[in-house]
Amino acid sequence: MLDAKDIGLQNREKRQGLSIEWGRIGLYAAFLIFALVVILPIYWMVRSSFATSADLHTSPLNYFPPFTFSNFTTLVQQVPFFRYVLNSLTFSITTTILTLVASFLAAYAFARIQFPGSGLILWILLLTMALPDIGTIVPLYRILAGLHLLDTIGGLTLVLGSALTPFTVWVLVSFIKQVPYEIEEAAIMDGATLPQIFIRILLPVTRPGLVTMGLINFINAWNNLLFPLSFAATEASKTLSVSITEVYNGYSPYGKPWELIMTIGVTMVAPVVILILFSQKSIVRGLTGGAVK
Amino acid sequence: MQNVSTNPNIAVKRRSFLPSKNIQRRYLLFVILVAPAFLLRLATSAYPIAQTILLSFTNLDLLKNTNSYIGLQNYANMPKNPSVTGSVSFTIIYVLASTVLNLVVGMGIAQLLNANFRGRWFARTINLIPWAIPTIVAGYVFRWLLDDKFGLIPVWVQAFTGAHWIVFINPNASRLAVILVQVWKDAPFMAVIFLAGMQGVPLDLYEAARVDGANAWQRFWNITIPMIKPLVITMGIFRLIWSLASFDLVYGLTQGAPGVSTSVLALQIFQQGIDFFKFGFASSLSVVLLILVGIVGLIALRLYRRADIAY
Amino acid sequence: MSISRKLSRRDFLKVTGAGVAGAAIAASAPGIAAASAVSKPFGVPMLLQNKTINVGILQSAHDQMQALLDSTGYSKQSGIDVNLVIRSDTKETEFAKITSAVQAGTSPYDVLDFEDELATTLSRAGYFVGVDDLLPKDIWDDLSPAMTAYTKVWSTLNGETFRIVHNWEMPIFWYRKDWFDAKGVAVPKTWEDVAGMGKVFTDSSTGVWATEDGLMKGAFLNVYLAWITLQAGGNPFDVGDAYKTALQYIYDLMHSDNTMNPASLQNSYDQQNADYFADKVAFMRQWPYFGGLARSDANKAWWTTEDKAAIALPPVGPGGVGGSTYAAAWGWGLIKTAPNLDAAKEFYSWLVSTDTAVAASKTGEWFFNARKSVLAASDPTNWLVKQVQMYTDAGAIGVRPFHPQFVEALTILEDNASAYFTDQANLDDTLSATKDQLAALGSATPEATASS
């Protein structure tokens, strides 16, 4: 309810003694509450992952328990932790690459080759986003089994890459459309081939868009649970998201090993948080790129 | 694109891959470029959905080794099965409640992020955190946060009010928890979209309204809302559809407990399909989900049509 | 002989493979030897020699198994080399692995150590060889009556035995003898006694409850349901009068008798145990590993006297003493497509013989069970030996309630019972819903009724 001009206006009014500053207080109060609500779960997760189980089960609560790395070493000993990290990384990277390649080609086509009905085709592609992933896992299970792609990173990549493609196409279309066609036109007249156009001209110019969608897709793949959970059977392709459910459903004499669960949580969250810290603007541009022109 | 080929004085040595004259080659190029994306979608989305519909009429069960056509038997079994009826009813409640809350809270956060104050960059950055966290991790973190003995929230509630909250043995409390955690997770994403929309609203409109004597709330209600209404509707529809498919959160937070009070369709589908290998029944549940998605889609069409008429 | 109670390396039994919401870990007795997850897909490549066999065991059982082979010098005596292959502790992984191998006419193991859940699925898929002719003649005398009854239900298909178990873990009745002595109250012996304990012990000002359990969904609740229904004289999967009585009894314990802490409904075993160690529980049902936990370093300060976690026979319900508790177990089976079936058969005969059983029990708890020979050769002062002896002598061990589609069936039980306990459904609706859903699963087997 307050934009830049409002504040300026209120300051003016204040100088004229016409209004109270409560709006400002309310604003900072809202900011504080918002920050608390967002950060509190993160703090809780971090606290639980660097404390021993005994320190977590104290009454009254210990808000800053003694710091320890023991949970990480326990995890490494008890589950193929590094393998899971590697799988998550591999899965995220390959999915991102596949999605970007398929989406970029399609986006170029939709942006540059227009004919009656091309808009409808794009719309149909986007419509497939509405199909729930959960509704496809049964046939996909059989398809992947038939192709011997069950329990492989490759199989997972195909499935998730496909799921992420429509949104990526949508965003990339608007990015490509922002590139003035004259540049390509000039290159065509100089005799460039299509691949050369892609590599020499489009890629550099649309790089912000590609980076953005790369980040978003990497995060989506890193976080994805349903597909690895359904299609991975051994450590050959299980990811961190699967491992956290295993640890949760697993069992120790101390029961739910919250300290270990939170440790995997931290491992999953830390890279992503670092990513968004450095690329917040870029990600926002991508997320809104499709919805807001 | 200029047609240079008509001027014989210009030596044209271009490969005609975007020929203005040769429509067929344009179509061919189009097909080649969109083929990877479309093949992927066909293989992993369109074809499987069709398969799901077909499988829903069978009793395919990997463990029992059955695979025969049984018509509508799967569907007939559903109303008698409390797990299914409970899941469907909570799915609908959950989808509606969380979407409405998401829109409202998202709007509120967007307002906050739009205001001018020191630390706004920080607010906008941490705003992305709930979006970026894996949903399953959010589910587990809140399960731990709400632990009745050692979770932060019940401990604070007990300290301030003396009430001992045991969330996960109470069906309604658990449902509320699921809905609120969903809002925590997704309202920030809404906020980002709404913020972008709000930034596109010309400031003179606000100025003019202020001059006319409108207060902050009136300006919000009469300018901001109408201007971003299409966006709100769009995000509302998306949110409805996405939450219909929601699985990770319930899987992590409550696993459908207590009883099946917080079970959603996606959870049932997963359990029947991947845990029990009852592929036929799981497929029929998926079809029910698809029908729900279709209903939302129809509502969307009607809303869009009405919005178009208004604007 | 002393059984080593090494609990220092607390690995946890991971029960989810490709996602199992209703993992039956609690039902399969987490036990004293829980396992970690490092599984090599197909182990060591099989040598061309005929006289090497692969035995699939849990990671945590490796050392004990190796000790058994070394102490008996088996390989030298028989000429058969035993290669220990670590199997996954996740049944889905094993199921998938074995299925694909058997289809291809081979098997990653000749002999496998497996749990009850795999027993039902793998046996019904036809993967096991009947082992009756490999068993020593005296084995049926050596197995305790409870073990024999259990074997007939859980380890037999179409009249053929396919598994002989090597451990024997049951829910134990633990109680605070120090509290009972202080109050001059006798240990509850019947259901009525238990219900009356609420008045004696439950105190809202101190947060103490007479009893508590781990009743959350996900194979925890099902353990207690099975336990109580067995005490009521029936099999929960039959959804008969015994189950109805059991549900009503549990509900009353929580809602009218004020005896059981209703928060149990969201507990897994950690909260239950933690509350016991926090002196908030007077008595409870818990698996044997709790005894080791109580004696472990983590609880050294608390474990001042044995009376803090004393063992008594479980309370007797309408079903009589014979169904006071039940045992779950892991055991050995022969896979029909084993690459070295003959050598494996020889090994199997040796493995289940009385002498070997005794030697194995000396290596640790994973091979300790209620066979007469084993009990006779065990240290009678050891708490676990005493417990198994006590329960066996009293004939308190019934057959674990059985259903051929065990994992799915227990989920149905849990969903409905949990709704009843949280007042979302009344008893009759719960029962009829459970019955309908179980019927939709397919047959309940004749064996199921034999166990009631």
Side-chain angles (χ1 to χ4, degrees):
Chain A
M1 322 216 192
L2 300 167
D3 54 39
K5 285 225 167 161
D6 281 352
I7 305 291
L9 202 63
Q10 279 199 344
N11 284 341
R12 210 186 322 140
E13 287 170 341
K14 188 184 167 210
R15 268 183 263 122
Q16 294 169 353
L18 281 181
S19 88
I20 339 163
E21 268 268 339
W22 63 267
R24 199 110 186 116
I25 299 177
L27 184 63
Y28 278 103
F31 175 36
L32 189 66
I33 297 176
F34 174 68
L36 245 145
V37 168
V38 170
I39 305 266
L40 207 65
I42 309 296
Y43 147 77
W44 189 250
M45 181 174 58
V46 172
R47 160 195 176 267
S48 305
S49 76
F50 291 110
T52 63
S53 177
D55 287 335
L56 290 183
H57 293 85
T58 60
S59 185
L61 282 185
N62 189 343
Y63 293 98
F64 297 103
F67 191 89
T68 171
F69 271 118
S70 61
N71 297 324
F72 285 92
T73 52
T74 311
L75 261 181
V76 169
Q77 286 168 356
Q78 297 186 358
V79 312
F81 190 60
F82 293 121
R83 184 64 204 254
Y84 287 150
V85 173
L86 184 67
N87 285 344
S88 279
L89 260 178
T90 317
F91 174 51
S92 306
I93 293 175
T94 55
T95 304
T96 304
I97 294 175
L98 175 67
T99 310
L100 285 181
V101 167
S103 305
F104 185 73
L105 295 176
Y108 181 80
F110 283 118
R112 295 294 186 230
I113 305 178
Q114 316 238 319
F115 54 87
S118 67
L120 181 67
I121 298 180
L122 177 60
W123 193 80
I124 292 178
L125 180 68
L126 297 180
L127 197 64
T128 65
M129 276 202 291
L131 299 173
D133 292 337
I134 187 88
T136 63
I137 55 171
V138 166
L140 275 179
Y141 188 91
R142 302 169 84 208
I143 293 173
L144 288 179
L147 294 172
H148 296 288
L149 284 177
L150 263 188
D151 200 28
T152 62
I153 301 274
L156 294 176
T157 304
L158 279 176
V159 175
L160 186 62
S162 164
L164 298 175
T165 296
F167 183 68
T168 311
V169 168
W170 193 20
V171 175
L172 286 180
V173 164
S174 55
F175 269 102
I176 294 180
K177 276 190 173 164
Q178 286 169 17
V179 177
Y181 187 61
E182 286 69 48
I183 308 177
E184 286 163 63
E185 201 177 359
I188 297 168
M189 295 218 289
D190 288 343
T193 63
L194 189 59
Q196 282 174 333
I197 297 245
F198 276 159
I199 299 176
R200 295 269 178 76
I201 299 177
L202 275 174
L203 240 46
V205 175
T206 57
R207 200 164 64 157
L210 288 173
V211 166
T212 298
M213 291 321 293
L215 282 169
I216 292 177
N217 286 335
F218 182 87
I219 292 177
N220 276 327
W222 181 262
N223 292 347
N224 188 267
L225 173 69
L226 183 63
F227 292 137
L229 192 62
S230 307
F231 304 134
T234 70
E235 66 192 49
S237 66
K238 279 189 193 165
T239 59
L240 278 175
S241 48
V242 178
S243 85
I244 198 177
T245 65
E246 290 188 334
V247 174
Y248 180 83
N249 289 320
Y251 191 92
S252 84
Y254 304 97
K256 288 264 175 289
W258 285 114
E259 70 282 6
L260 297 175
I261 298 169
M262 293 299 119
T263 305
I264 303 187
V266 166
T267 312
M268 290 195 76
V269 168
V272 167
V273 168
I274 294 176
L275 269 179
I276 66 172
L277 276 180
F278 285 113
S279 51
Q280 175 244 336
K281 280 224 167 63
S282 174
I283 292 180
V284 169
R285 195 181 343 120
L287 291 178
T288 57
V292 181
K293 294 291 178 283
Chain B
M1 178 169 162
Q2 275 203 7
N3 188 349
V4 296
S5 61
T6 52
N7 187 339
N9 291 334
I10 300 180
V12 175
K13 214 189 76 167
R14 62 181 169 97
R15 323 269 175 86
S16 49
F17 56 84
L18 271 190
S20 50
K21 279 193 173 171
N22 198 331
I23 308 286
Q24 275 176 337
R25 291 182 85 167
R26 283 177 63 108
Y27 279 140
L28 183 62
L29 185 65
F30 182 85
V31 167
I32 295 176
L33 286 175
V34 303
F38 263 93
L39 282 176
L40 277 176
R41 293 313 282 155
L42 262 165
T44 69
S45 190
Y47 174 69
I49 293 283
Q51 269 280 4
T52 296
I53 299 177
L54 283 178
L55 280 180
S56 73
F57 299 117
T58 73
N59 62 358
L60 179 60
D61 184 329
L62 283 199
L63 285 183
K64 279 204 268 189
N65 245 319
T66 57
N67 186 359
S68 45
Y69 179 75
I70 57 169
L72 292 174
Q73 188 63 44
N74 282 329
Y75 298 99
N77 287 338
M78 282 187 205
K80 296 184 272 176
N81 187 334
S83 302
V84 174
T85 53
S87 304
V88 171
S89 64
F90 181 61
T91 302
I92 295 177
I93 297 172
Y94 163 70
V95 160
L96 289 174
S98 69
T99 301
V100 167
L101 277 177
N102 266 314
L103 292 176
V104 169
V105 175
M107 188 73 74
I109 299 178
Q111 283 289 347
L112 174 69
L113 298 182
N114 199 25
N116 197 3
F117 59 94
R118 219 174 312 168
R120 183 169 75 176
W121 174 87
F122 182 69
R124 286 188 177 177
T125 303
I126 66 172
N127 184 53
L128 281 182
I129 290 183
W131 167 77
I133 290 187
T135 314
I136 185 73
V137 174
Y140 288 148
V141 170
F142 274 93
R143 175 64 183 82
W144 179 219
L145 258 176
L146 288 169
D147 185 83
D148 73 303
K149 287 219 190 51
F150 304 109
L152 190 66
I153 298 176
V155 163
W156 279 2
V157 164
Q158 183 149 37
F160 284 126
T161 67
H164 183 201
W165 277 9
I166 312 180
V167 174
F168 297 107
I169 62 172
N170 184 317
N172 287 323
S174 303
R175 288 182 177 131
L176 196 62
V178 170
I179 293 173
L180 290 180
V181 174
Q182 159 84 84
V183 173
W184 180 89
K185 181 91 180 48
D186 285 303
F189 175 73
M190 296 275 138
V192 166
I193 309 280
F194 290 155
L195 182 63
M198 291 196 296
Q199 286 169 336
V201 178
L203 287 174
D204 339 333
L205 287 177
Y206 291 117
E207 190 63 50
R210 196 177 311 115
V211 164
D212 285 347
N215 64 29
W217 173 257
Q218 284 170 326
R219 288 198 299 275
F220 173 71
W221 191 251
N222 294 313
I223 300 177
T224 315
I225 297 271
M227 286 299 286
I228 63 173
K229 188 155 140 181
L231 201 56
V232 173
I233 296 178
T234 307
M235 293 316 296
I237 300 291
F238 276 150
R239 199 57 250 153
L240 280 175
I241 294 182
W242 288 336
S243 14
L244 276 174
S246 168
F247 167 76
D248 297 17
L249 184 61
V250 174
Y251 187 72
L253 189 62
T254 63
Q255 300 94 47
V260 288
S261 58
T262 60
S263 176
V264 291
L265 256 185
L267 189 69
Q268 285 297 313
I269 296 173
F270 181 83
Q271 202 175 56
Q272 295 292 324
I274 300 294
D275 282 350
F276 301 148
F277 293 109
K278 295 176 70 175
F279 283 177
F281 188 56
S283 300
S284 61
L285 291 174
S286 305
V287 170
V288 173
L289 188 61
L290 282 173
I291 293 176
L292 285 177
V293 171
I295 293 177
V296 172
L298 284 177
I299 298 177
L301 278 177
R302 287 203 65 209
L303 278 177
Y304 274 124
R305 215 166 285 150
R306 262 205 277 152
D308 277 342
I309 293 172
Y311 290 94
Chain C
M1 174 290 266
S2 76
I3 296 183
S4 68
R5 284 178 262 110
K6 262 206 290 223
L7 291 165
S8 47
R9 183 154 180 257
R10 294 318 311 181
D11 308 315
F12 48 86
L13 205 68
K14 289 211 313 303
V15 258
T16 52
V20 173
I25 190 295
S28 71
I32 299 130
S36 78
V38 181
S39 69
K40 299 192 263 274
F42 273 79
V44 173
M46 287 175 261
L47 306 177
L48 289 172
Q49 272 197 21
N50 292 356
K51 295 262 190 143
T52 302
I53 59 169
N54 291 324
V55 176
I57 53 172
L58 289 177
Q59 172 78 54
S60 55
H62 179 274
D63 295 344
Q64 290 184 28
M65 194 64 194
Q66 192 64 56
L68 171 65
L69 293 170
D70 294 340
S71 70
T72 55
Y74 177 72
S75 296
K76 269 205 209 66
Q77 286 185 355
S78 63
I80 299 176
D81 284 330
V82 177
N83 180 32
L84 297 180
V85 179
I86 305 299
R87 59 153 278 183
S88 159
D89 44 3
T90 317
K91 56 188 189 304
E92 288 74 21
T93 313
E94 286 307 308
F95 184 76
K97 193 195 308 181
I98 294 173
T99 302
S100 49
V102 171
Q103 308 275 351
T106 179
S107 167
Y109 326 104
D110 297 276
V111 176
L112 177 64
D113 184 13
F114 57 100
E115 63 270 56
D116 291 333
E117 291 76 14
L118 273 184
T120 52
T121 46
L122 290 180
S123 67
R124 273 146 188 81
Y127 293 165
F128 290 125
V129 174
V131 297
D132 285 297
D133 49 344
L134 300 174
L135 301 176
K137 302 225 184 354
D138 62 350
I139 199 171
W140 300 108
D141 295 322
D142 194 33
L143 294 176
S144 71
M147 289 180 82
T148 306
Y150 167 88
T151 304
K152 291 267 180 278
V153 173
W154 285 89
S155 304
T156 305
L157 185 64
N158 300 330
E160 277 194 319
T161 313
F162 61 83
R163 179 176 69 146
I164 294 292
V165 299
H166 58 67
N167 68 347
W168 192 236
E169 297 181 28
M170 62 203 81
I172 297 175
F173 186 82
W174 303 91
Y175 71 107
R176 296 293 306 252
K177 187 161 185 300
D178 49 348
W179 288 5
F180 277 84
D181 289 345
K183 284 199 190 256
V185 173
V187 165
K189 293 220 171 358
T190 67
W191 272 18
E192 291 71 32
D193 293 344
V194 171
M197 287 290 126
K199 293 198 192 57
V200 177
F201 286 108
T202 302
D203 184 350
S204 52
S205 61
T206 56
V208 170
W209 287 87
T211 186
E212 196 171 306
D213 210 302
L215 299 183
M216 70 181 279
K217 289 207 315 178
F220 293 98
L221 176 56
N222 138 83
V223 168
Y224 192 68
L225 288 177
W227 201 60
I228 296 292
T229 311
L230 199 58
Q231 289 177 2
N235 181 337
F237 298 114
D238 289 336
V239 196
D241 288 332
Y243 189 53
K244 177 173 183 175
T245 312
L247 286 181
Q248 183 78 64
Y249 174 64
I250 300 172
Y251 185 92
D252 289 340
L253 281 184
M254 282 193 274
H255 292 148
S256 27
D257 301 327
N258 210 29
T259 300
M260 175 175 282
N261 187 349
S264 304
L265 287 169
Q266 48 143 32
N267 282 358
S268 67
Y269 292 154
D270 66 334
Q271 284 136 302
Q272 177 189 354
N273 297 341
D275 285 343
Y276 195 93
F277 291 134
D279 300 325
K280 296 271 187 271
V281 181
F283 60 89
M284 69 176 188
R285 172 219 66 81
Q286 187 52 281
W287 295 99
Y289 84 98
F290 180 75
L293 198 59
R295 291 163 175 79
S296 69
D297 291 336
N299 290 304
K300 226 186 328 196
W302 176 83
W303 183 247
T304 52
T305 156
E306 288 235 353
D307 289 350
K308 282 196 172 181
I311 298 177
L313 288 175
V316 173
V321 99
S324 306
T325 189
Y326 67 88
W330 285 58
W332 306 108
L334 264 179
I335 301 187
K336 72 176 183 193
T337 51
N340 298 296
L341 196 52
D342 294 324
K345 283 185 176 177
E346 209 183 301
F347 172 75
Y348 196 92
S349 278
W350 169 84
L351 188 60
V352 300
S353 68
T354 308
D355 294 336
T356 314
V358 172
S361 69
K362 294 197 195 301
T363 66
E365 292 146 338
W366 189 238
F367 297 127
F368 175 68
N369 53 64
R371 285 169 77 149
K372 298 199 183 76
S373 56
V374 169
L375 281 177
S378 300
D379 169 14
T381 65
N382 176 284
W383 70 269
L384 184 61
V385 178
K386 275 201 281 193
Q387 178 266 317
V388 173
Q389 190 79 65
M390 173 188 354
Y391 280 42
T392 303
D393 290 342
I397 307 172
V399 175
R400 181 180 193 187
F402 176 82
H403 191 283
Q405 287 164 49
F406 186 62
V407 176
E408 225 184 310
L410 73 84
T411 310
I412 292 173
L413 280 192
E414 289 187 345
D415 281 353
N416 288 293
S418 164
Y420 170 55
F421 295 143
T422 53
D423 288 322
Q424 294 174 67
N426 66 34
L427 184 56
D428 292 321
D429 290 342
T430 304
L431 289 170
S432 63
T434 310
K435 212 181 180 89
D436 289 340
Q437 286 173 282
L438 281 177
L441 261 195
S443 53
T445 73
E447 291 115 310
T449 48
S451 65
S452 43

